Amino acid sequence: MNHDATPSSHPETGVLSTHSVCGAPCWVSLTSRDLEATENFYHAVLGWDWRSTAKLGEHFRIALADGAPVAGIAAVASMWQMAVAWTPYFAVPSADDAVSRVQERGGTAAVGPISLPPGRAALLADRDGATFGIWEGELFTDWETWRKAAPAFIRLHTRDAFDAAMFYGEVLDWASDRPGCCQVRYEGEEVVLRSHGEVVARIESGALEAAPDPTIRPHWQIHFRVADVAACVRAAECHGGSVLREGAEEAVLRDADGAQFTVTSRREI
């Protein structure tokens, strides 16, 4: 079976679905409290424009980079009693099956599955508490376009990378005989996830479950590729955000609402 082939769209509609990129990260979304403030912050820091979508409703927006959809905002943190945070979503053929697998393996379901046309979604947590989402249905944009536009990559900071890879592999059918599934390799101290030959995520050990600092508790970190890290840092500070860590090629930022993310100028994962 050739897992390195380019994912194909549905032959009748031309729309790519989660069946083609099974188990791969396919979207990132931010839960927030204040939609307008969040839009203004990320427009200033990442240059994103925004569009509303009648299908999703007034609490949701789609972020555009050079006209391509790259991320979503769901202003439901207060309404649904959820944390303000960036969350990666993984493509699954069945949201119901994925939620059942998570619960069977000691994880939890916070929200869903719920209908969010053109698909269904659920917000979950693995057994170490790291939050992630699943998506079943049509993708918001061409997967290759999205992957190259944003984010640069996602990384799971967790207690035990090997144990986490087993959990996610069983939930998301990594390294299985399912067509289009992701491949897993152990490289040094990390687990590396590839979809159709491309690195799409990494998992590393060392996070502490009970750490008071949320940056070192198990969590998925979203990395956005930018041309000028220093400019992003200045824009974040000018618009109510804060800098958690800054280097020449990368900075960990917190937006004005408290959500953490990374900006990076690195071209390779």
Side-chain angles (χ1 to χ4, degrees):
M1 184 179 297
N2 181 11
H3 291 309
D4 293 338
T6 301
S8 59
S9 60
H10 191 282
E12 296 180 359
T13 65
V15 175
L16 200 67
S17 79
T18 53
H19 291 273
S20 298
V21 290
C22 178
C26 63
W27 192 243
V28 292
S29 185
L30 172 65
T31 51
S32 75
R33 298 186 184 92
D34 187 324
L35 198 58
E36 183 178 0
T38 302
E39 288 179 352
N40 291 338
F41 178 89
Y42 286 96
H43 176 76
V45 175
L46 298 177
W48 289 348
D49 295 316
W50 301 94
R51 79 175 188 209
S52 58
T53 168
K55 289 183 178 180
L56 294 178
E58 62 180 351
H59 297 292
F60 296 83
R61 294 289 187 275
I62 303 296
L64 306 175
D66 297 324
V70 293
I73 289 181
V76 296
S78 299
M79 180 171 44
W80 290 354
Q81 298 297 303
M82 296 168 58
V84 173
W86 277 103
T87 302
Y89 280 75
F90 294 85
V92 296
S94 169
D96 292 318
D97 288 349
V99 169
S100 294
R101 291 179 183 182
V102 165
Q103 293 173 323
E104 288 166 0
R105 288 159 179 79
T108 57
V111 177
I114 58 174
S115 177
L116 291 173
R120 300 175 72 229
L123 188 63
L124 311 167
D126 66 24
R127 52 192 170 215
D128 285 326
T131 301
F132 68 102
I134 53 168
W135 177 259
E136 170 198 345
E138 296 177 4
L139 302 185
F140 285 100
T141 187
D142 176 75
W143 184 76
E144 284 289 340
T145 300
W146 174 81
R147 185 182 60 79
K148 292 175 180 177
F153 59 95
I154 62 174
R155 185 185 296 271
L156 176 61
H157 301 268
T158 191
R159 175 184 52 83
D160 184 320
F162 179 80
D163 182 71
M166 293 293 292
F167 172 88
Y168 285 95
E170 292 172 351
V171 169
L172 301 172
D173 279 322
W174 292 350
S176 70
D177 58 1
R178 181 182 289 276
C181 75
C182 292
Q183 307 88 50
V184 176
R185 289 189 61 181
Y186 297 89
E187 299 180 3
E189 300 299 317
E190 291 188 329
V191 175
V192 180
L193 183 71
R194 285 180 169 84
S195 179
H196 302 281
E198 299 287 342
V199 177
V200 293
R202 291 181 181 269
I203 302 175
E204 66 176 31
S205 301
L208 303 176
E209 290 180 83
D213 184 348
T215 64
I216 57 176
R217 291 201 295 264
H219 69 283
W220 282 97
Q221 185 78 0
I222 313 296
H223 297 241
F224 294 106
R225 185 178 289 124
V226 299
D228 189 334
V229 170
C232 292
V233 168
R234 291 194 299 271
E237 292 177 319
C238 288
H239 289 79
S242 57
V243 181
L244 302 180
R245 186 169 66 252
E246 182 179 1
E249 296 183 304
E250 195 167 277
V252 181
L253 307 176
R254 183 172 284 148
D255 69 20
D257 216 9
Q260 177 184 311
F261 64 102
T262 296
V263 292
T264 180
S265 60
R266 296 176 184 173
R267 310 314 297 176
E268 299 294 331
I269 297 179

